Amino acid sequence: MYSVSDMQDDTEVVQAIFDDLLSTIPDIHNKEISVLGRYNVDIDRIGNTDRVFRIQRDTGVISYIQQSGGKELRAQFLTVHKSKGLEADIVIILNCNSGKLGFPSDMTDDIVLNLLLSEADQFENSEERRLFYVAMTRARQLVYFVSDAFFKSKFISEIEVDLGTSPNRKCPRCKTADVVLRKSGTAKNGGKYRFYGCTNFQYGCEFTTTEWD
């Protein structure tokens, strides 16, 4: 699992993943690689910085040119919906962040769909969870989740809790999301502070706390 520093851009992390694949998997050029996004616009999260990536938006083909050594690696971008029924050896899921166009999308669940589901199936983000499951299970061998440490998807937080790998403390209010560092600095009186907030703030949790040294 990887995290990014900029919620709007996954370029550096995808580059790091490709470099890792090139250095650790001897037959990587014989592997099928899929890059999945919740929406078509997620392909724009990978930029053409320094000509490292060549992206054919009409076909979804992503070509990566390694800066050291000049090795090339190709992947296919698909939306999660279009990936249904398909598989790849390695899957990279972009934008596993909170927000309106994140994963899960911060949209209300499909009202018409909920009418067709049993009451037991109508849990929060039910359709988004199904899509996330589809995305994960496209991988035959490896799956990478790309998320921002400060705005991570609730699905990523839940996976970290299940695996016991969460690096952060849990929010005492909503009980499910992480409390992460938002800002630190020195106040006018010379005291040093650290301001923390819940990663579930996009979903209504307003918990914050400030610690002083």
Side-chain angles (χ1 to χ4, degrees):
M1 187 179 299
Y2 283 76
S3 62
V4 294
S5 58
D6 185 344
M7 191 177 178
Q8 305 304 318
D9 192 350
D10 292 343
T11 304
E12 289 186 7
V13 173
V14 175
Q15 181 178 346
I17 292 172
F18 281 7
D19 283 338
D20 185 54
L21 293 174
L22 284 166
S23 63
T24 60
I25 302 180
D27 61 340
I28 187 60
H29 292 97
N30 296 322
K31 303 292 185 182
E32 222 179 323
I33 304 172
S34 289
V35 178
L36 303 184
R38 174 65 180 82
Y39 297 101
N40 278 312
V41 295
D42 283 330
I43 195 172
D44 295 328
R45 298 182 64 84
I46 304 174
N48 290 307
T49 308
D50 299 324
R51 299 182 180 178
V52 172
F53 291 99
R54 290 199 302 264
I55 301 173
Q56 301 175 32
R57 282 173 170 75
D58 56 336
T59 62
V61 173
I62 300 170
S63 298
Y64 172 68
I65 309 297
Q66 193 175 41
Q67 289 180 313
S68 58
K71 295 180 181 178
E72 185 173 357
L73 197 60
R74 289 195 172 193
Q76 178 69 49
F77 175 83
L78 295 165
T79 63
V80 179
H81 278 105
K82 289 182 179 178
S83 75
K84 288 182 178 180
L86 303 177
E87 287 186 332
D89 298 301
I90 298 160
V91 168
I92 302 167
I93 307 174
L94 303 176
N95 195 17
C96 295
N97 300 318
S98 57
K100 187 175 182 180
L101 295 179
F103 203 176
S105 170
D106 192 16
M107 305 274 197
T108 57
D109 283 334
D110 191 321
I111 297 175
V112 175
L113 176 66
N114 282 339
L115 291 174
L116 302 176
L117 299 175
S118 68
E119 185 175 342
D121 275 338
Q122 295 184 31
F123 48 84
E124 188 179 25
N125 300 119
S126 57
E127 180 60 14
E128 291 293 296
R129 288 180 185 276
R130 290 181 177 86
L131 282 176
F132 197 70
Y133 179 78
V134 166
M136 289 191 298
T137 55
R138 297 312 88 202
R140 298 189 191 99
Q141 298 176 6
L142 289 171
V143 59
Y144 291 86
F145 303 97
V146 181
S147 67
D148 189 298
F150 293 149
F151 301 95
K152 68 178 66 172
S153 158
K154 64 173 68 175
F155 294 163
I156 297 300
S157 295
E158 290 169 6
I159 290 173
E160 289 179 337
V161 170
D162 288 343
L163 295 178
T165 58
S166 178
N168 304 302
R169 62 183 190 240
K170 291 289 117 183
C171 175
R173 183 173 298 175
C174 69
K175 309 295 185 184
T176 57
D178 291 335
V179 174
V180 297
L181 180 67
R182 297 286 187 197
K183 185 178 179 182
S184 63
T186 303
K188 292 181 180 179
N189 62 6
K192 294 183 178 180
Y193 69 89
R194 295 183 302 278
F195 176 75
Y196 295 86
C198 178
T199 57
N200 247 356
F201 78 95
Q202 292 274 8
Y203 306 106
C205 184
E206 299 178 351
F207 176 81
T208 60
T209 185
T210 302
E211 296 180 359
W212 295 86
D213 292 335

